[in-house]
Amino acid sequence: LAVAAPDRLLLVSGTGDVIEPDDPILAIGSGGSYALAAARAMMKHSPNLSAKEMVSEGLNIAGEICIYTNQNLTILELDAEEA
């Protein structure tokens, strides 16, 4: 369970533990690690990044978070005119 107030974020685990995240970001669920990575990228770089840069940063951060994710990236970028 994610709990948010204007000045605090808390995670309440299934066993009742109350956890305060290290970052001002909280992500839960099966895609939580990836959501957290994307949110960190957005906070770190603001919306000034291109889509490719945002994807790269998010995947690199996910690689730092998840032991099942590596940082060997192949990113394909489609040109809007070609799609």
Side-chain angles (χ1 to χ4, degrees):
L1 174 67
V3 180
D7 62 337
R8 178 170 284 181
L9 292 172
L10 297 172
L11 172 69
V12 181
S13 75
T15 59
D17 295 325
V18 178
I19 304 160
E20 189 168 4
D22 294 330
D23 299 321
I25 304 167
L26 184 60
I28 61 172
S30 61
S33 295
Y34 306 104
L36 179 62
R40 283 182 177 171
M42 290 290 292
M43 286 191 65
K44 184 175 180 180
H45 297 289
S46 74
N48 298 328
L49 291 178
S50 70
K52 184 176 181 178
E53 291 168 329
M54 184 61 71
V55 167
S56 178
E57 184 66 23
L59 290 173
N60 277 310
I61 293 169
E64 293 171 1
I65 295 169
C66 180
I67 62 169
Y68 301 109
T69 304
N70 66 48
Q71 294 171 310
N72 301 321
L73 306 177
T74 301
I75 299 171
L76 303 175
E77 186 175 22
L78 297 177
D79 184 10
E81 294 176 15
E82 294 176 16

